[in-house]
Amino acid sequence: VGYHVFDGDMNPLWDRELELPETEAKLDVISYCIDENTNVHLLAKIYSDDTRKDYKKDGTMNFDFEFFRIEGESGNVVREKSRLKDQNIIIKTLSFFAGRNGNIMLAGYYGDSRKSGLNGAFTADFEGTGELYNFTATPFDVAEFKKYNKPRKQEKIEKKTDKKDGQVTLNNLQLRDVFVHADGGTISIGEIFYINIVRQKNGSEIRYYYSEDIYAMRTDAEGKLVWFRKIPKKQMNYNQSVGVPFLSYSMGGGREGLGFAPLMHKDNLYLIFLDNENNIGLTPTERATFIVNHKGGIVNSYKIDAGGKVSQHTIADNKNYNGFKLYQFNIDRVMPLNNGFGIEFYVK
């Protein structure tokens, strides 16, 4: 694996190749980051065998999480096992994020058993070794989750959570970002994301990309829940690949326009994304309407203040914004500014 490190002005600092100690069949690089001393850190999943299964037949884990540090000055590679297994939870997803005081943070979602979905979020300070500091794990909030469903569904949720010691379970939730709050706590933001693949008899393939509800959680410095909020979002793109002799091409939306842009400004969290205009003013129990292949729609914004109060604001109608049609909205074109944020559009 080759790494090229640059400073803030894109001047090259160093570049090296790392020969991974395991074969590709037994190692997955999950996440990587660079610290203020230009060291590169890798988080890897090392399997015990070539099956690439997370669990053995007897139910024990078939992998370890390990850290690799490529030192910027010397080029030395340091390998250390993590202490993640020492926690009384089963970690399902994790990645590196910017942490407290300019340091690195590990964050992700966990479950209570190997067969369960996701039951909560965790964070830990990372200092470049296998040790973890200030580890906190916080379950999803049942009461908050229930209010986004109609009464009959709320009853079903109560029955399910009673069987699972009051735990809420989510599936296909992917952590997108973590912010450190002024009080030392964190705000974790994820969204439901999954892909369905339909194969046709003629050899073509249709991929459906679903990017759905956002879940945001704020905890204090001790890991206690401050608030847990669900933001309704329904986005779907499809991409059809057609393969015939000597010709193969794809058409459709792919992942363009999917997802959301999270921003922090004055202790407020802003979530900006492409949405269907029918979703303006949704009540908590109403279901959102899909926007398909990023066509038309609106650019929607939700604000969650420090106390968890949610408000919605429509930024732009893409079909008519001051007499212009707006095109090619992408979350990568949402830019934080000193006094707020800006968005780049194309007009015709």
Side-chain angles (χ1 to χ4, degrees), residues 106-144:
L106 272 172
Y109 295 119
Y110 69 88
D112 288 335
S113 71
R114 68 186 184 91
K115 293 183 178 180
S116 75
L118 307 175
N119 302 121
F122 74 91
T123 61
D125 292 335
F126 174 77
E127 297 186 3
T129 69
E131 298 292 335
L132 301 176
Y133 303 89
N134 302 318
F135 186 97
T136 62
T138 310
F140 299 138
D141 183 33
V142 177
E144 186 67 20

Side-chain angles (χ1 to χ4, degrees), residues 37 45 93 159 230:
N37 297 315
K45 197 174 188 179
T93 70
K159 290 179 181 178
K230 171 187 170 184

Side-chain angles (χ1 to χ4, degrees), residues 237-334:
N237 287 357
Y238 62 87
N239 189 62
Q240 184 170 9
S241 299
V242 180
V244 296
F246 310 110
L247 176 65
S248 180
Y249 64 95
S250 63
M251 53 189 177
R255 300 194 187 205
E256 184 179 347
L258 297 181
F260 65 96
L263 297 167
M264 287 294 297
H265 182 63
K266 294 182 178 179
D267 283 347
N268 300 315
L269 173 66
Y270 294 88
L271 304 166
I272 303 163
F273 55 90
L274 193 62
D275 204 358
N276 190 306
E277 56 267 29
N278 294 329
N279 296 331
I280 296 175
L282 284 178
T283 64
T285 58
E286 288 181 313
R287 297 190 61 150
T289 303
F290 276 103
I291 182 166
V292 180
N293 269 9
H294 55 84
K295 301 297 183 184
I298 59 172
V299 177
N300 211 351
S301 170
Y302 279 83
K303 171 187 170 183
I304 308 177
D305 70 16
K309 181 180 178 182
V310 179
S311 56
Q312 183 263 332
H313 176 70
T314 302
I315 296 175
D317 182 343
N318 290 338
K319 296 185 293 298
N320 185 4
Y321 183 74
N322 294 334
F324 292 97
K325 285 188 176 182
L326 304 179
Y327 296 88
Q328 298 183 23
F329 169 80
N330 195 297
I331 58 174
D332 293 333
R333 293 175 178 156
V334 180

Side-chain angles (χ1 to χ4, degrees), residues 196-207:
N196 284 339
I197 301 174
V198 178
R199 292 181 174 84
Q200 308 292 316
K201 290 183 180 179
N202 63 0
S204 66
E205 182 181 274
I206 305 176
R207 288 178 176 253

